[in-house]
Amino acid sequence: MNKSEHINYELEKNLEVISQLDDFVGYAVDNTLVDPDDCWQPTDFLPDMGEPDAFDQVKQLQERAAGIPDTIITSLIGNMITEEALPSYQTYFNLLEGINPEGNLLSPSGWVRWSKAWTAEENRHGDLLNKYLYLSGRADMKKVEQTIHRLIYNGFDPKSEKDPYQAIIYTSFQERATKISHVNTGKLADKAGDDVLSRICKTIAGDEARHEKAYKSFMSEIFNIDPNGAILAFEKMMRKQIVMPAVLMGKGSANPSLFDQFSAITQKIGVYTGWDYARIIDHLVKLWKIESLTGLSDAAAKAQDYLSGLSERYMRVADRMKAPDEIQLAWLK
């Protein structure tokens, strides 16, 4: 059997498991996600421009935002740009094998319903942060808009090989990372005296926490049905490392190292760090009980050994990382 035949066989088996989860995923749409009429919306947090005192409300927002350090504003902009590249994420999800075999966005399938409902909830995040930053007067919105345009233009590849197992590992990790980033930005905003921005960030983090819980539950079911395949997919994604969704924000622009600069800021101010990366691995290894899985194939047992010590390895790397120098980004006024 040559390598390509083996890969196809493995993927076919994964698709069969994915199809078995359709009702489980449909249940998550109805019980983990929120009906659009009941969801919070960006207008709940922003000045009402239809009110007589609208400009007073904007002035108050700007006064609160004035005291926020540049590094926090930069981190917030990077988080917002990441959220705004939603078209790439939905496209990616629908291109996974077995998720939408009919190519029909009106399909009643649980996976297709999840893709739409999850995207609809996520869409509010970029809308809210974008409007907040626009009204705050702290960002050079033309440059921010160019970066959003560039990121969507460039696309997105988390290197999951169209394999739904690897993709769900990725989203489980990434939703938790995004949650951490928003929570920590909210804490810093609170400390800087902007309680509304703090509430915005924590509310978005609450959404990410629900989405994280759902994706982790999908993967837990895969581990129950196919532990060998699940642990091999986990190992593959970890060996490739988790690529952040906004990694291509600077590619092809006058500042190709834009993402690295943004990452340096988030590392420096503690919004998202190497320690966070290590802790997420540790969390997922414990959640899916990687170390106690039994009856594994030889390859899966080797993956188990690799994953069991992985978070400690990343923690040691994080301990050795030096705090980067402060960097001024093009997004600021």
Side-chain angles (χ1 to χ4, degrees), residues 129-147:
L129 294 176
N130 196 321
K131 286 169 183 166
Y132 170 88
L133 284 162
Y134 174 76
L135 291 171
S136 76
R138 293 292 307 277
D140 183 332
M141 290 307 293
K142 178 71 176 281
K143 288 197 170 69
V144 169
E145 288 157 358
Q146 287 170 332
T147 307

Side-chain angles (χ1 to χ4, degrees), residues 106-318:
L106 299 181
S107 165
S109 139
W111 285 109
V112 176
R113 290 178 59 224
W114 170 268
S115 167
K116 293 184 295 183
W118 166 71
T119 302
E121 288 199 357
E122 289 280 345
N123 186 61
R124 300 165 304 144
H125 302 169
D127 281 354
L128 173 52
L129 294 176
N130 196 321
K131 286 169 183 166
Y132 170 88
L133 284 162
Y134 174 76
L135 291 171
S136 76
R138 293 292 307 277
D140 183 332
M141 290 307 293
K142 178 71 176 281
K143 288 197 170 69
V144 169
E145 288 157 358
Q146 287 170 332
T147 307
I148 295 167
H149 190 154
R150 179 72 63 181
L151 180 56
I152 299 172
Y153 178 97
N154 284 335
F156 167 65
D157 179 17
K159 301 183 171 29
S160 56
E161 304 166 30
K162 294 182 79 173
D163 175 7
Y165 282 21
Q166 291 185 62
I168 296 166
I169 295 283
Y170 178 86
T171 48
S172 297
F173 189 106
Q174 192 54 54
E175 293 284 359
R176 189 170 183 85
T178 311
K179 176 188 76 177
I180 289 166
S181 187
H182 285 300
V183 164
N184 288 335
T185 304
K187 287 177 182 174
L188 291 170
D190 204 27
K191 202 178 287 187
D194 191 337
D195 59 320
V196 176
L197 178 58
S198 174
R199 201 163 74 247
I200 286 171
C201 293
K202 288 169 186 173
T203 301
I204 292 172
D207 277 3
E208 305 294 9
R210 284 187 297 107
H211 302 163
E212 173 202 351
K213 183 180 177 184
Y215 279 118
K216 290 189 306 191
S217 74
F218 302 163
M219 202 63 216
S220 293
E221 288 298 300
I222 293 171
F223 268 102
N224 289 338
I225 299 167
D226 180 18
N228 284 306
I231 201 168
L232 287 171
F234 194 5
E235 180 201 22
K236 283 177 191 171
M237 283 311 298
M238 291 301 104
R239 284 195 185 276
K240 286 177 277 199
Q241 298 188 331
I242 296 294
V243 179
M244 294 300 149
V247 71
L248 297 180
M249 63 165 62
K251 183 186 174 188
S253 75
N255 184 5
S257 61
L258 192 54
F259 179 78
D260 293 335
Q261 293 172 331
F262 161 56
S263 296
I265 293 280
T266 62
Q267 172 83 21
K268 187 173 186 70
I269 64 175
V271 162
Y272 184 75
T273 68
W275 290 289
D276 292 316
Y277 190 97
R279 282 192 285 260
I280 295 172
I281 295 171
D282 182 59
H283 170 77
L284 295 177
V285 165
K286 286 174 178 167
L287 175 77
W288 293 322
K289 301 182 173 63
I290 299 300
E291 294 182 35
S292 59
L293 291 174
T294 56
L296 298 173
S297 67
D298 288 347
K302 286 176 183 171
Q304 182 181 43
D305 287 343
Y306 169 76
L307 291 165
S308 295
L310 191 60
S311 64
E312 286 180 21
R313 242 175 290 166
Y314 273 107
M315 200 58 83
R316 288 196 293 273
V317 171

